[in-house]
Amino acid sequence: MSRRLYKSTLRKALLVILATWCFIDIVRFHFLRFSVPPVPNTTEVHTPRIFIASTHWNNEGILRNHWNKAVLQLVENLGPNNTFVSVYESGSWDNSKDALRKLEQELDHRGVGKKIVLDETTHEDEIAKPPGETGWINTPRGKQELRRIPYLSRLRNLSLAPLEELAEQDIFFDKILFLNDVVFSLSDVLTLLNTNNGQYAAACSLDFSRPPHYYDTFALRDSEGHEAVMSTWPYFRSSLSRTALKQGNAVPVTSCWNGYNKAAYDAMNGSAGELSLFRYLFRCWENRLRRWFTTDWFKIRVVRNRVKKWQGLSSSNSEVGVRCLINEMQVLAGNGWAHV
């Protein structure tokens, strides 16, 4: 066989393979278009008692325009006796505190259990404190700085503090619902709570700040522990996670921490059955090529080597969530946070 004939045959074979693959994708597209059930417009939740926790910083706009009303609608649906609202706000320089006082009044009026803490401590106050034994790090900028994630974890734990106080009164809850500075509807939250008929360790939705790209890439890991291979549908490297997503089912993941903006998601993403054929094929092939020609192995190796080195420093150093770690450092700043 001549070289020219060989190249021609190879090109034809590749075109046939590509055409066949696209044909299979098209068949899948039409199957999913008519088989994926719509997300139910849930109005009831099977879990009777919900502890609602939230932390806020400079969120006046969303609090006044949406968040307060949505929370009130949620507690009215779940029932005042079945909910407790715990809010921890700190250091806002807008009028978030006043907006939360309005919420507190409305919750009082409805007889809803609550604890709303309005802390005057600002980011500037936090970073001006003498460095403590934990939560601080020596950065390349030549100084000790306050790590953002431990700081946020501490605030989140403060929002959960009423759980212990209520437990002493024999008041317990079936689920903890974190609601931060995201737009949500009653149906969104109830659907989330009913994920997998309420059987899960954690259930998250997706948060879209600049649709169609989902926002919180920090914590999401697919069923095999990989970070997302792309920020748009179908997101995942793992076949199990991708298949569940395409079929309109709850997606198995190893880690997540996301809010939810349903309007943005529906407008820019949708399920496999809501995408146009062109967009479906384009994104499937983008995902496929990214999986074939990229890897997160090097990132994972760097993290695991650093964890191994740290664990070797002391027998008390232990990390069970290695899959959730990221090779990135964020520190608190007066106007928010910064990468270092």
Side-chain angles (χ1 to χ4, degrees), residues 248-319:
N249 298 325
V251 178
V253 296
T254 54
S255 172
C256 66
W257 183 267
N258 304 84
Y260 195 50
N261 187 325
K262 187 176 186 299
Y265 183 86
D266 288 347
M268 301 304 298
N269 291 272
S271 68
E274 295 169 334
L275 293 170
S276 68
L277 175 59
F278 173 79
R279 184 175 290 180
Y280 176 86
L281 289 174
F282 180 84
R283 291 190 179 175
C284 282
W285 272 102
E286 180 184 359
N287 181 277
R288 193 170 286 139
L289 293 172
R290 285 176 180 268
R291 286 186 283 112
W292 287 350
F293 297 107
T294 67
T295 178
D296 56 2
W297 182 86
F298 297 101
K299 291 182 180 180
I300 294 172
R301 182 176 176 83
V302 168
V303 169
R304 288 181 176 174
N305 285 343
R306 291 183 176 180
V307 171
K308 184 178 180 180
K309 181 179 179 180
W310 171 73
Q311 289 176 331
L313 298 176
S314 171
S315 59
S316 63
N317 289 347
S318 176
E319 175 57 64

Side-chain angles (χ1 to χ4, degrees), residues 206-219:
L206 293 179
D207 185 4
F208 294 89
S209 178
R210 294 180 176 85
H213 302 275
Y214 86 90
Y215 172 69
D216 201 341
T217 61
F218 202 86

Side-chain angles (χ1 to χ4, degrees), residues 125-169:
D125 295 331
E126 294 285 359
I127 60 182
K129 294 177 181 178
E133 293 183 1
T134 60
W136 295 76
I137 188 171
N138 294 318
T139 68
R141 299 194 285 196
K143 54 184 178 180
Q144 282 189 300
E145 299 189 70
L146 183 60
R147 294 172 59 202
R148 177 178 177 245
I149 299 304
Y151 167 77
L152 292 178
S153 297
R154 180 172 63 83
L155 298 188
R156 196 160 291 137
N157 288 342
L158 289 171
S159 75
L160 296 174
L163 282 171
E164 294 183 346
E165 301 165 7
L166 293 168
E168 294 176 356
Q169 305 171 37

Side-chain angles (χ1 to χ4, degrees), residues 70-91:
V71 168
L72 293 174
Q73 186 180 17
L74 176 61
V75 297
E76 287 172 355
N77 180 275
L78 296 173
N81 295 327
N82 294 327
T83 54
F84 188 95
V85 178
S86 176
V87 176
Y88 194 94
E89 178 278 338
S90 63

Side-chain angles (χ1 to χ4, degrees), residues 4 52 82 87 117 239 243 301 303 324 337:
R4 180 178 298 178
I52 301 171
N82 294 327
V87 176
V117 178
S239 174
T243 300
R301 182 176 176 83
V303 169
C324 303
W337 55 275

Side-chain angles (χ1 to χ4, degrees), residues 28 32 196 220-227 229 233-255 287 291 323:
R28 287 174 176 169
L32 293 171
N196 199 34
L220 183 62
R221 300 292 183 273
D222 67 22
S223 64
E224 296 177 355
H226 298 289
E227 64 183 17
V229 74
W233 188 97
Y235 313 110
F236 303 108
R237 185 179 294 273
S238 158
S239 174
L240 183 63
S241 296
R242 286 197 325 276
T243 300
L245 178 70
K246 291 179 179 180
Q247 293 176 347
N249 298 325
V251 178
V253 296
T254 54
S255 172
N287 181 277
R291 286 186 283 112
R323 284 183 172 181

